[in-house]
Amino acid sequence: MMHNVKKWVKESCIRHGFEQVDLLTKKHRDNYWVEKRLMNKNASDGVGITSNRELIRNTIDKMLPAVDSFEQMVECLKGIYGWKVRVTDKTVTFATSDMKKGIRGNKLGDGYGKAELVERIAQIVTEREAVNEARRIAEEQAKAKAEAAAREEAIRKKKQIEEERKKTEILSRKRKLAYERNNIQHKYYSAELDRPDWNREYVEYLDAQFIRDAALLSEEELIAPIMTREEFEKEQAVVLYREKADKAGELWDKALSELYSVTHKWKWEYMDYLEETRFKELSNVTLREAKEKILSYEEFAKLKKAVKKIQEQTFEVFDSSADAKDETQTIVVSEKADIEVPKIEEVVLEKAEHVPEVIDYTKLSIEERASILQAPTDDYVAEYDAYCQRMGYTAEKMKSVRYKMDVYDEFIEEYQYRKKHCGMRGDSGIVNISEKRRETR
């Protein structure tokens, strides 16, 4: 019955536009008009326009998160707000400083009785402790993470310093190795440029060996030895001779298919020459051999004709008397006949006394002989005669056919070298050996 009356009153107030409270709610059990009179009075408290009930509820709600127990909440309400709070075993009554009669907590609504407030405070404290514990754990984790990061940073800096120290030591060693290597390179480079027959490819190789920035190379590259001229020319000879052998193979195939033995008398000898060039042992190849041009068939035929002409010529040797020992014996070497060879040539020195000096050409290198002699002519026979005469090949030395071919090979080697390097002569055409040696010194 009372519920229906409250419902009718509420609906009537709404229809007439009157201010009213929700009479159906458990929180609001006081007289409507009492609540109405207190609304404007309590507006200055900061919780908005409300009743004493709302003021008490709002104040308690604000106080709960800040206290640890029900007793602490009561003390705070008394000390801070000057409220009168009466606590019994089961109830609690709240009265503000201007209220004549207090209001029990269970009259304020659900959650404001003594047991309910104790339970709410315990739950808030538990939640607060959980939050604090979570915050503490988070702070500890953050601290541990920061400490781990600091340790890692210290280790990283230590490693960085150690790496920089190692890099400095390595760079110092590299610069020392580069300095020593550049000294060797400069020594080889200067010596090569001072040679009259300097090797352009070797100079370019030495120039590439100069270290300009040691930091860009490894220590293995810096300690790698620089090749001497002999080592470089040995490798260079192998590379060049391989190209020469390939060319000889092409000429061999061409000679086999294009040359006919009927019209080309020296076809098979020419192919043997190319075959020997193709399969020569590379370990014994010299740079001069590698750079020698492969003869065409026409050049090979011309050379064979000249050799044949030399072989067919025979000169008589005149025995000199005992009183004429200074006469020179001349003879041409033949592959098929034993031939006497002249004595060592006597060359007149340009001295004031005109005392003749005998030059032993056998003790001179090809370079020294080329610097003394004139450039050779195209007459193979005459040049071969002069070579035998200079080198002192006797008839006893020429009895072996094999030895004769060795002599001829030596002659060809000297002949080709003299073709490239013109000899040195005095004004009268006679070599002055003593003067040449003084200039060399």
Side-chain angles (χ1 to χ4, degrees), residues 232-242 282 285-288 290:
F232 178 83
E233 289 186 347
K234 186 175 181 180
E235 291 189 3
Q236 185 183 16
V238 171
V239 174
L240 294 177
Y241 200 87
R242 283 175 180 166
L282 295 180
V285 172
T286 63
L287 183 60
R288 184 166 59 251

Side-chain angles (χ1 to χ4, degrees), residues 192-208:
E192 184 63 21
L193 290 181
D194 291 339
R195 294 173 64 103
D197 56 339
W198 61 282
N199 188 327
R200 181 181 298 276
E201 290 79 8
Y202 183 55
V203 170
E204 293 175 354
Y205 160 76
L206 291 177
D207 185 64

Side-chain angles (χ1 to χ4, degrees), residues 341-345 358-369 372-373 386-394 397 403 407 410 414 437:
V341 185
K343 295 180 180 179
I344 298 175
E345 176 186 6
V358 177
I359 300 176
D360 189 354
Y361 285 94
T362 61
K363 296 182 179 180
L364 301 179
S365 64
I366 293 179
E367 292 80 1
E368 291 174 334
R369 296 199 298 270
I372 295 173
L373 302 172
Y387 176 77
C388 293
Q389 193 174 9
R390 286 193 302 273
M391 302 306 293
Y393 289 116
T394 62
K397 293 182 179 180
Y403 189 80
V407 172
E410 294 173 0
E414 181 188 281
R437 289 176 178 172

Side-chain angles (χ1 to χ4, degrees), residues 110-244:
D110 295 336
Y112 292 95
K114 179 180 178 182
E116 293 171 336
L117 287 173
V118 171
E119 183 179 354
R120 287 177 65 185
I121 293 173
Q123 183 178 359
I124 291 174
V125 170
T126 302
E127 292 176 356
R128 185 193 308 151
E129 290 177 352
V131 172
N132 292 337
E133 181 66 15
R135 185 184 296 112
R136 184 187 64 78
I137 294 174
E139 290 176 353
E140 289 180 355
Q141 291 177 348
K143 182 179 179 181
K145 187 176 180 180
E147 291 176 353
R151 287 194 298 269
E152 291 179 358
E153 180 67 14
I155 294 173
R156 187 190 65 80
K157 287 184 178 180
K158 184 177 180 181
K159 289 182 177 179
Q160 182 179 3
I161 294 173
E162 184 66 18
E163 289 176 358
E164 291 177 355
R165 184 185 64 79
K166 289 182 179 179
K167 287 181 180 179
T168 303
E169 292 179 356
I170 292 173
L171 182 59
S172 178
R173 289 199 304 269
K174 284 184 177 181
R175 287 175 176 172
K176 182 178 179 181
L177 292 173
Y179 176 78
E180 295 172 352
R181 200 171 193 275
N182 284 343
N183 283 342
I184 298 174
Q185 184 269 353
H186 180 71
K187 178 182 176 182
Y188 289 171
Y189 193 88
S190 301
E192 184 63 21
L193 290 181
D194 291 339
R195 294 173 64 103
D197 56 339
W198 61 282
N199 188 327
R200 181 181 298 276
E201 290 79 8
Y202 183 55
V203 170
E204 293 175 354
Y205 160 76
L206 291 177
D207 185 64
Q209 297 302 307
F210 183 80
I211 307 300
R212 291 171 175 79
D213 189 354
L216 300 178
L217 301 177
S218 64
E219 292 189 52
E220 289 74 13
E221 292 174 318
L222 293 173
I223 63 176
I226 300 177
M227 288 189 291
T228 62
R229 177 189 173 102
E230 291 74 17
E231 294 170 341
F232 178 83
E233 289 186 347
K234 186 175 181 180
E235 291 189 3
Q236 185 183 16
V238 171
V239 174
L240 294 177
Y241 200 87
R242 283 175 180 166
E243 298 176 357
K244 183 177 178 180

